Amino acid sequence: MSKQKQAELRKSVAPFANTDNKKSIKQLLNSITPFFLLWFLAYQSLSISIWLTLGLAVVAAGFLVRIFIIFHDCAHMSFFTNNKANRFFGTMTGILTHFPFDKWKREHAIHHATSGNLDKRGTGDIWVMTVDEYRKSSFWRRVSYRFYRHPIIMFGLGPFFLLLIVNRKNRKEAERKERWNTYLINASIAAVYAVLIVTVGWQSFLVIQLPILFVSTSIGIWLFYVQHQFEDSYFENEDEWDYVKAAVDGSSYYKLPRWLQWITGSIGFHHVHHLSPKIPNYHLEKAHESTPPLHRVTTLTFISSLKSIRFRLYDEANKSFVGFNDGKGLGKTTTSKEKLNHRTGFTEK
């Protein structure tokens, strides 16, 4: 793609980077109100059946994912036209989702500025090693990486590690505003928890709140994972890296059923979001539909996305993700037949 075509592509989606405060307020109401209602109903249902309670908690978790998308847009300063409103509601939704607004805002901005850049990995990203790096790593580093990339760890223990440890502390170099925002959110979470435990009892609180947090955060990690960890995702070294290519070729279009698209705030149009982070979530689909070149990006369905679970390493020689056991020839150019087998999932794992 030439520089001129890249500029035209970015220009074609620019009109959609237009915040509509009425739509934003409506989204706040149809996301947060049902979440609180479902939490209350989950508590009331404890006298009927714990399975009904857990079912309502799972539905509430879906709305918490939607609330996180609001938090995410606020971090991009794209949800409201007023930056103070973005900061206020970003912090409030940060309390609900348990994410520190200023800290995450900074890390996520770095993620957007470096996504797909092999020389600038490590901030706001899922840990990715290349085949060559893995080969040269020590035994314990390989073990650590395998542990980190295992689905049970990433999607099972990962949510607890993220919510209880990573999100609760500041980096050493954090500026005062970022540091105090994290303190404010931590203190607010503690205060809300204290009130709820006194009101409903600690057993009822845990039965409702833990499933909500676990399911919603697992979904969030999965969405972030699958939208950058697909087979032919874009990765280049600094001297070859390009922002538009990283956005269009390194982010997937996750085509979900309409109800899932709604609950996930249209974040499946991830290629559009990376191309223009200022587009609010409720305009992403329109931007995609109105821009024909974007229709050719990698499209994943829920079923096809499950294949991404086996991707562990990035093979620079073949510009694709591979599994740990995709053969001893990792890092060597494959034949066209081998490439076809790999893309259709017939390679032995």
Side-chain angles (χ1 to χ4, degrees):
M1 187 185 294
S2 67
K3 292 294 182 181
Q4 182 181 353
K5 287 186 176 180
Q6 289 183 23
E8 290 174 355
L9 186 59
R10 296 186 75 174
K11 186 177 180 180
S12 65
V13 299
F16 299 96
N18 182 26
T19 300
D20 185 329
N21 287 333
K22 288 184 179 179
K23 287 185 178 180
S24 297
I25 292 171
K26 181 181 178 180
Q27 193 169 74
L28 276 172
L29 293 174
N30 65 29
S31 303
I32 295 177
T33 305
F35 174 74
F36 285 147
L37 178 61
L38 285 162
W39 211 106
F40 174 74
L41 291 175
Y43 172 63
Q44 293 295 319
S45 70
L46 281 169
S47 60
I48 302 172
S49 168
I50 192 171
W51 296 110
L52 177 57
T53 301
L54 292 175
L56 289 168
V58 169
V59 178
F63 279 91
L64 193 59
V65 171
R66 186 167 166 82
I67 292 169
F68 179 83
I69 300 303
I70 293 174
F71 166 88
H72 167 266
D73 279 6
C74 287
H76 282 292
M77 297 293 164
S78 64
F79 197 65
F80 287 106
T81 53
N82 183 281
N83 283 345
K84 288 184 178 179
N86 282 311
R87 284 193 55 80
F88 175 79
F89 285 101
T91 299
M92 293 300 103
T93 51
I95 295 169
L96 292 175
T97 58
H98 294 34
F99 276 77
F101 179 72
D102 277 325
K103 176 187 177 182
W104 194 85
K105 177 177 180 292
R106 172 190 167 274
E107 292 178 351
H108 193 61
I110 293 173
H111 162 69
H112 272 266
T114 61
S115 181
N117 190 323
L118 289 171
D119 296 319
K120 293 184 178 181
R121 287 165 287 168
T123 302
D125 297 320
I126 286 174
W127 186 12
V128 174
M129 289 181 72
T130 66
V131 170
D132 191 51
E133 288 170 342
Y134 184 77
R135 280 177 168 176
K136 295 177 180 178
S137 294
S138 66
F139 171 78
W140 287 112
R141 185 167 175 79
R142 290 189 187 192
V143 170
S144 298
Y145 187 70
R146 280 180 173 268
F147 184 80
Y148 174 90
R149 298 286 298 201
H150 196 284
I152 293 176
I153 302 303
M154 184 172 291
F155 306 112
L157 297 181
F160 295 111
F161 181 74
L162 181 62
L163 295 174
L164 298 177
I165 299 175
V166 176
N167 285 358
R168 305 282 65 84
K169 61 181 183 179
N170 287 302
R171 58 191 177 93
K172 291 182 179 180
E173 304 82 9
E175 295 180 357
R176 186 173 181 274
K177 184 174 74 170
E178 179 182 322
R179 191 176 298 276
W180 279 98
N181 180 262
T182 302
Y183 294 155
L184 171 63
I185 289 175
N186 288 348
S188 299
I189 292 170
V192 170
Y193 275 24
V195 171
L196 286 173
I197 289 171
V198 169
T199 304
V200 305
W202 68 269
Q203 297 99 329
S204 298
F205 171 77
L206 290 179
V207 168
I208 299 168
Q209 185 68 0
L210 281 183
I212 289 175
L213 290 179
F214 174 74
V215 173
S216 62
T217 309
S218 293
I219 292 172
I221 293 173
W222 169 253
L223 289 170
F224 191 78
Y225 173 88
V226 76
Q227 298 196 294
H228 292 291
Q229 313 274 309
F230 51 93
E231 187 175 25
D232 56 351
S233 186
Y234 175 93
F235 280 88
E236 289 289 354
N237 293 109
E238 171 67 16
D239 55 348
E240 296 289 334
W241 183 84
D242 180 87
Y243 179 88
V244 174
K245 287 183 179 180
V248 177
D249 296 333
S251 305
S252 66
Y253 164 32
Y254 201 14
K255 192 173 183 179
L256 297 170
R258 295 297 299 184
W259 67 274
L260 272 178
Q261 180 182 318
W262 186 86
I263 209 73
T264 57
S266 297
I267 200 62
F269 296 95
H270 213 60
H271 55 300
V272 181
H273 172 62
H274 266 261
L275 185 61
S276 181
K278 286 292 185 181
I279 298 177
N281 71 82
Y282 44 76
H283 286 160
L284 290 174
E285 182 177 9
K286 288 182 180 179
H288 170 82
E289 296 297 340
S290 302
T291 313
L294 294 181
H295 299 174
R296 297 192 294 271
V297 302
T298 298
T299 301
L300 302 175
T301 63
F302 176 74
I303 297 300
S304 66
S305 71
L306 296 177
K307 181 182 176 182
S308 297
I309 295 174
R310 75 178 185 86
F311 296 145
R312 302 288 192 270
L313 301 164
Y314 189 74
D315 184 357
E316 290 185 78
N318 293 296
K319 304 295 183 185
S320 66
F321 271 103
V322 294
F324 284 125
N325 302 316
D326 276 332
K328 295 181 179 179
L330 286 174
K332 298 177 181 178
T333 304
T334 58
T335 65
S336 58
K337 182 178 180 181
E338 290 171 333
K339 193 81 168 179
L340 176 62
N341 286 341
H342 175 66
R343 289 185 181 277
T344 52
F346 292 114
T347 305
E348 265 186 41
K349 299 192 274 291

